[in-house]
Amino acid sequence: MDKIRIRGGKTLNGTIEISGAKNAALPLMTAALLTEETLTLTNVPHLADITAMANLLAQHGTDVALDGGAADGGSAGRVLRLTTPTISSTTAPYDLVRKMRASALVLGPLVARCGEARVSLPGGCGIGARPVDLHIKAMEAMGAKVDLDAGYMIATAKGGLKGGRVVFPKVSVGATESALMAASLAKGETEIVNAAREPEVIDLGRCLIAMGAQIEGLGTDRILVQGKTSLHGAEHRIVADRIEAGTYAIAAAITGGDILLKGCSLDLLPAFIDKLREAGVSVEQEGEAIRVTRKGPLVGVDVMTEPYPGFPTDLQAQTMALMTVAEGASMVTETIFENRFMHVPELARMGANINIHGSSAMVRGVKGLRGAPVMATDLRASVSLVLAGLAAQGETLVQRVYHLDRGYERLEAKLAACGADIERVREAD
């Protein structure tokens, strides 16, 4: 099993190309089920979750073709062409769905196009309950009948979906995306209330508009969709991965370095950028790139995760790693997922001073971290341990890094290019 070995204490300086966003690419891929024509996606990240989604779509009848790629193996130039002339199966089986939560996103497109779907309850990171009840609520608001049976969501809409009013009791990115796609082929108008406002949702909406959908209100909490009888093919460039950008911004901050993040803009991460600056980190837009620099001391800041445009939960673990070496104390509060502090015991093995109180963690900065063997528990927790390892004295060995491969493209290569002493190792059987 692969591990990542880091010998910390080096200041990182250089340039990192930010990949296309995984959290945008996955729903965009499922949008290919909505049309008989070809959906072409560019700036496609090379990740395990992308491969898993491609395999799932293929069994539904999608022809998947991948072209191009940068000479260094990065996402620049990678083009994914998805064509679904007919839906050969409306079942998303457990064996393909169990590895990834985003698999639930096929529910809306399948019901919208075929009037039925049988989708296994999904898997993914163990960071707490991410229920599918809001996906189901959206389908029911558009006239579908949905039952849960033997671990499957079974949805039927005889005569097709009909426009309706979808009111989410809480903000959900995935459920908003499901509703957007389903409403694009529903008869009449659909109103989505308390919709997610994340850049990835906006990116999906823009792609659907390019495919012929009529959508108003993207980026607000109220979206109106006028359903169409059919959608057509389109070409769409996947938005930059704001979570990857935030992660490498912390790599610069935690090592006292200077990194230019190419292909990303500040408006993707407003709350996060504010907190970095508050902590003593310089963050500036330079053309189509962001420069992140830290020369002075880090200062502890309080963080609370919230739906966009608030502080992203997907950067909570990385920010906590940064706070472990900041001056003073900081409070990190998680409001999105209940089990997203599983990185805390591993950071403590490296000398971090963290105490958990319910949904909050009190972090008291220490003078320095120490390298240690640690275990990754989920995608963002795993990269937080890598970040801590970059700042720690001595050697850190991060185990179970298959989590990293789900969301970070060429992590070791990108960090090594900026001066990190990092490598992937495989233990002999």
Side-chain angles (χ1 to χ4, degrees):
M1 184 177 293
D2 286 4
K3 300 178 182 181
I4 296 221
R5 177 185 290 130
I6 307 149
R7 297 176 181 90
K10 295 183 178 298
T11 299
L12 300 193
N13 297 282
T15 299
I16 293 178
E17 187 89 35
I18 300 303
S19 302
K22 179 198 81 158
N23 289 341
L26 295 173
L28 286 166
M29 290 174 69
T30 66
L33 296 172
L34 294 167
T35 177
E36 299 177 0
E37 300 180 14
T38 299
L39 174 61
T40 301
L41 300 175
T42 63
N43 198 34
V44 179
H46 187 194
L47 301 169
D49 275 11
I50 299 297
T51 301
M53 182 61 81
N55 291 335
L56 176 59
L57 292 177
Q59 72 86 42
H60 287 308
T62 302
D63 178 66
V64 181
L66 180 65
D67 302 322
D72 62 1
S75 65
R78 285 170 58 89
V79 178
L80 189 62
R81 293 182 174 86
L82 304 163
T83 312
T84 317
T86 59
I87 304 288
S88 59
S89 170
T90 56
T91 296
Y94 172 74
D95 284 347
L96 290 175
V97 170
R98 64 185 175 85
K99 298 178 181 179
M100 184 177 55
R101 297 272 182 173
S103 300
L105 289 167
V106 302
L107 178 67
L110 288 174
V111 178
R113 185 164 167 187
C114 302
E116 63 180 32
R118 182 173 178 267
V119 179
S120 173
L121 296 174
C125 288
I127 57 173
R130 291 199 265 188
V132 297
D133 59 321
L134 298 183
H135 293 257
I136 293 173
K137 181 181 180 68
M139 296 307 106
E140 290 177 336
M142 285 180 261
K145 181 179 183 298
V146 187
D147 296 308
L148 294 178
D149 182 54
Y152 280 80
M153 297 178 283
I154 301 172
T156 56
K158 294 180 180 179
L161 293 174
K162 299 177 177 59
R165 191 168 190 261
V166 181
V167 183
F168 291 125
K170 61 181 179 180
V171 175
S172 167
V173 172
T176 300
E177 292 166 341
S178 280
L180 261 180
M181 288 188 282
S184 295
L185 288 183
K187 297 182 182 70
E189 181 180 88
T190 298
E191 180 186 16
I192 305 172
V193 181
N194 202 23
R197 300 160 59 187
E198 272 73 359
E200 295 79 14
V201 175
I202 297 172
D203 203 40
L204 173 62
R206 288 173 176 165
C207 179
L208 292 172
I209 291 170
M211 296 169 68
Q214 185 176 337
I215 302 170
E216 299 175 5
L218 291 173
T220 75
D221 60 3
R222 179 177 176 269
I223 300 174
L224 290 177
V225 185
Q226 305 293 337
K228 300 293 184 178
T229 56
S230 65
L231 298 181
H232 52 71
E235 180 172 327
H236 180 80
R237 179 178 174 83
I238 298 169
V239 71
D241 192 327
R242 62 195 174 100
I243 305 304
E244 183 191 36
T247 299
Y248 291 128
I250 291 177
I254 203 168
T255 65
D258 182 343
I259 296 180
L260 186 70
L261 307 173
K262 291 183 64 178
C264 194
S265 62
L266 293 175
D267 57 8
L268 292 176
L269 287 162
F272 171 75
I273 298 301
D274 287 346
K275 288 297 178 180
L276 273 190
R277 288 170 171 163
E278 188 180 336
V281 181
S282 171
V283 188
E284 301 297 335
Q285 189 78 44
E286 295 187 5
E288 295 183 358
I290 297 172
R291 183 171 296 280
V292 183
T293 310
R294 180 177 69 85
K295 295 181 179 179
L298 280 169
V299 179
V301 296
D302 294 339
V303 168
M304 176 180 291
T305 63
E306 294 177 309
Y308 191 87
F311 194 95
T313 180
D314 279 351
L315 284 171
Q316 177 258 106
Q318 299 94 307
T319 302
M320 186 182 293
L322 181 65
M323 292 298 97
T324 64
V325 293
E327 294 181 353
S330 56
M331 182 73 77
V332 178
T333 302
E334 175 61 56
T335 69
I336 310 296
F337 297 123
E338 71 273 19
N339 291 339
R340 211 159 199 181
F341 284 154
M342 290 187 288
H343 47 283
V344 169
E346 303 306 302
L347 289 172
R349 289 173 54 80
M350 300 177 70
N353 183 351
I354 308 172
N355 293 294
I356 298 176
H357 307 278
S359 61
S360 295
M362 175 63 74
V363 185
R364 294 177 175 85
V366 296
K367 290 187 179 297
L369 298 174
R370 303 181 300 275
V374 290
M375 186 82 70
T377 54
D378 63 71
L379 170 57
R380 307 307 174 183
S382 60
V383 84
S384 76
L385 301 177
V386 171
L387 293 169
L390 293 173
Q393 294 300 315
E395 181 177 286
T396 299
L397 194 64
V398 184
Q399 303 177 63
R400 292 173 65 181
V401 297
Y402 58 85
H403 289 294
L404 277 172
D405 296 331
R406 292 186 48 241
Y408 288 93
E409 179 179 17
R410 302 172 55 253
L411 175 85
E412 313 95 88
K414 290 185 177 184
L415 289 171
C418 294
D421 186 344
I422 182 172
E423 62 180 338
R424 182 176 292 239
V425 296
R426 183 183 293 273
E427 280 193 340
D429 294 333

